[in-house]
């Protein structure tokens, strides 16, 4: 069995050596352990540092695509490179590499398809009280949307077996952590979590330049993802709220009308009608969203089958470069990208 540890990177030449040194070279249950670095448009020496530190594979994105796109590119490449299990970790050495055997154990034992590392955020010293509360709130919302019991839904330290990795399709431009857990809950992916340790903080987060940015982006991401997967529930609650609000001016008008002052409260009747119409429109949007969700699930299944066909046909990973080792896999970056496969096809 092959384990590939993937590391999304953006200008990580300073922290990457420590991260790579912390990774295990052997993991129980696996014959091979390889490391893949996803260079998300770095402008420093990230790739050179990766090769100097013995990385096996490199996925080099031409420009900065964002963490979610880098994660998806790494997952696709890992599958095409024959990974049976994929572990994702951060390049800032936040997560302890020594916990990788613990992380993959439920998968090796056959009790889980996807395992998320629980940082036990209440015990992380550099997390402020507000951030800890927001972590709990956000994780609770994601658990409700996904029907899972993952306590730390924003943890990027996670493992996927081959079947789970094939089914993951991230469309968010911002983060993959929340969306993949919700997808796992909606698909036939058994999830589990294990307690993990964290290393001392090496730098400030690049995803969250400030606490206000952290709150805003996570709130928007959670609301968007929850609405994508539970549109009927979300819009039904909004429609119910608008309907209840519409009753207030309606009741006010009825009371005034009974008292003989209805002519002076026509504005209440108009305002109530506006709120009632809004409730009807929002309710219809919920029905349309539910139909679109069905189409989304069909697209998800089509995507999964296309990926299986690509793996069966041995389609090479895109934006690929060999690392410090001869992997036998041709580079697919630059001007020669795709030409090798064309020449091989012509020979046949």
């Amino acid at each position: 069995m092959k384990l590939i540890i993937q590391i999304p990177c953006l200008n990580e030449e300073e922290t990457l050596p420590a991260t790579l040194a912390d990774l295990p070279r052997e993991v129980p249950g696996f014959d091979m352990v390889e490391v893949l670095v996803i260079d998300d448009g770095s402008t420093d020496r990230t790739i050179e540092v990766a090769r100097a530190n013995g990385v096996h594979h490199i996925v080099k994105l031409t420009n900065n695509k964002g963490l979610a796109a880098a994660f998806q590119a790494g997952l696709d490449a890992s599958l095409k490179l024959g990974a049976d299990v994929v572990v994702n970790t951060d390049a800032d050495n936040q997560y302890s590499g020594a916990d990788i055997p613990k992380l993959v154990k439920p998968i090796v034992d056959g009790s889980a398809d996807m395992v998320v590392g629980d940082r036990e955020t209440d015990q992380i010293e550099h997390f402020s009280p507000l951030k800890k509360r927001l972590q709990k709130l956000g994780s609770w919302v994601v658990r409700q949307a996904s029907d899972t019991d993952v306590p730390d839904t924003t943890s990027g330290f996670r493992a996927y077996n081959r079947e789970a990795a094939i089914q993951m399709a991230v469309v968010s431009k911002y983060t993959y952590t929340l969306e993949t857990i919700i997808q796992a809950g909606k698909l036939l992916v058994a999830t589990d979590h294990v307690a993990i340790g964290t290393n001392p903080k090496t730098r400030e987060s690049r995803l969250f330049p400030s606490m206000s940015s952290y709150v805003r982006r996570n709130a928007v991401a959670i609301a968007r993802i929850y609405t994508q997967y539970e549109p009927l529930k979300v819009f039904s609650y909004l429609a119910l709220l608008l309907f209840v609000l519409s009753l207030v001016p309606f009741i006010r008008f009825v009371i005034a009308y009974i008292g003989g002052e209805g002519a002076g409260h026509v504005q209440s009747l108009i305002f109530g009608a506006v709120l009632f119409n809004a409730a009807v429109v929002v309710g219809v949007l919920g029905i349309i969203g539910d139909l679109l969700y069905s189409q989304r699930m069909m697209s998800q299944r089509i995507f999964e089958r296309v990926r299986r066909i690509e793996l069966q046909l041995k389609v090479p990973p895109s934006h690929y470069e060999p690392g410090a080792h001869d992997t036998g896999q041709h580079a697919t970056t630059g001007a020669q990208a795709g030409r090798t496969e064309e020449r091989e096809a012509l020979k046949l």
Side-chain angles (χ1 to χ4, degrees):
M1 289 204 2
K2 179 190 285 191
L3 169 66
I4 291 184
I5 305 170
Q6 68 170 42
I7 311 173
C9 294
L10 174 62
N11 297 329
E12 301 286 3
E13 66 172 317
E14 294 183 3
T15 59
L16 189 57
T19 302
L20 295 172
D22 196 38
L23 299 179
R25 299 298 181 262
E26 296 181 357
V27 175
F30 295 93
D31 305 308
M32 291 180 285
V33 178
E34 297 178 353
V35 180
L36 180 148
V37 161
I38 307 104
D39 174 34
D40 189 20
S42 297
T43 56
D44 65 356
R45 298 179 59 256
T46 294
I47 291 181
E48 290 83 349
V49 169
R51 285 201 174 97
N53 284 270
V55 165
H56 300 79
H57 312 284
I58 294 172
V59 171
K60 185 180 184 302
L61 303 182
T62 310
N63 61 343
N64 180 239
K65 306 292 186 183
L67 179 59
F71 168 83
Q72 186 70 63
L75 210 61
D76 182 72
S78 295
L79 287 169
K80 291 175 179 176
L81 291 167
D84 296 289
V85 176
V86 181
V87 166
N88 186 87
T89 189
D90 286 354
D92 61 358
N93 201 31
Q94 174 185 175
Y95 307 108
S96 173
D99 285 330
I100 287 179
K102 182 195 300 186
L103 186 71
V104 299
K105 190 176 187 304
I107 293 177
V108 174
D109 293 343
S111 61
D113 301 312
M114 169 182 169
V115 184
V116 179
D118 177 14
R119 294 170 291 178
E120 299 180 320
T121 53
D122 283 343
Q123 302 178 21
I124 299 179
E125 294 181 359
H126 64 265
F127 276 19
S128 67
L130 175 59
K131 188 170 183 178
K132 291 177 181 179
R133 286 195 291 270
L134 290 172
Q135 289 277 1
K136 282 189 173 181
L137 175 61
S139 294
W140 177 83
V141 173
V142 174
R143 285 197 297 273
Q144 303 311 304
S146 63
D147 298 323
T148 63
D149 60 352
V150 177
D152 186 8
T153 57
T154 58
S155 170
F157 193 51
R158 47 186 66 189
Y160 303 84
N161 68 7
R162 192 169 180 82
E163 284 300 309
I166 286 174
Q167 296 182 65
M168 293 298 108
V170 180
V171 297
S172 171
K173 294 181 179 180
Y174 170 60
T175 180
Y176 64 89
T177 55
L178 308 177
E179 187 172 358
T180 51
I181 289 178
I182 294 177
Q183 278 188 5
K186 299 300 179 183
L187 302 172
L188 298 177
V189 176
T191 61
D192 198 358
H193 60 274
V194 297
I196 59 167
T198 56
N199 295 318
K201 186 176 180 180
T202 57
R203 60 165 172 77
E204 295 298 326
S205 171
R206 291 173 181 163
L207 283 178
F208 313 113
S210 64
M211 181 57 68
S212 61
S213 174
Y214 174 83
V215 174
R216 182 180 67 256
R217 290 186 178 184
N218 264 330
V220 171
I222 291 171
R224 180 173 176 269
I225 295 169
Y226 190 90
T227 303
Q228 282 181 343
Y229 286 90
E230 298 287 352
L232 187 59
K233 181 185 292 186
V234 170
F235 284 104
S236 293
Y237 282 141
L238 288 176
L240 180 61
L241 175 61
L242 289 170
F243 175 73
V244 171
L245 291 176
S246 72
L247 294 178
V248 176
F250 276 146
I251 293 173
R252 184 171 184 269
F253 174 79
V254 170
I255 293 173
Y257 182 81
I258 293 174
E261 300 178 358
H265 293 81
V266 176
Q267 65 272 21
S268 295
L269 183 62
I270 296 173
F271 184 51
V274 170
L275 289 175
F276 179 79
N277 287 335
V280 172
V281 171
V282 171
V284 171
L285 286 176
I287 296 173
I288 295 174
D290 192 54
L291 295 174
L292 290 176
Y293 170 72
S294 300
Q295 292 299 313
R296 177 187 174 88
M297 296 308 294
M298 290 297 295
S299 299
Q300 174 76 32
R301 294 190 181 100
I302 293 171
F303 169 82
E304 177 187 339
R305 295 192 179 199
V306 169
R307 179 173 268 176
R308 290 183 187 278
I309 292 171
E310 286 186 343
L311 295 175
Q312 185 68 29
L313 295 175
K314 301 186 183 302
V315 175
S318 60
H319 299 88
Y320 177 81
E321 294 182 7
H325 305 272
D326 182 11
T327 62
Q329 178 69 54
H330 297 290
T332 56
T333 56
Q336 295 300 314
R339 298 294 179 84
T340 301
E341 289 70 33
E342 290 176 6
R343 286 194 293 267
E344 292 298 327
L346 289 173
K347 289 179 182 179
L348 295 176

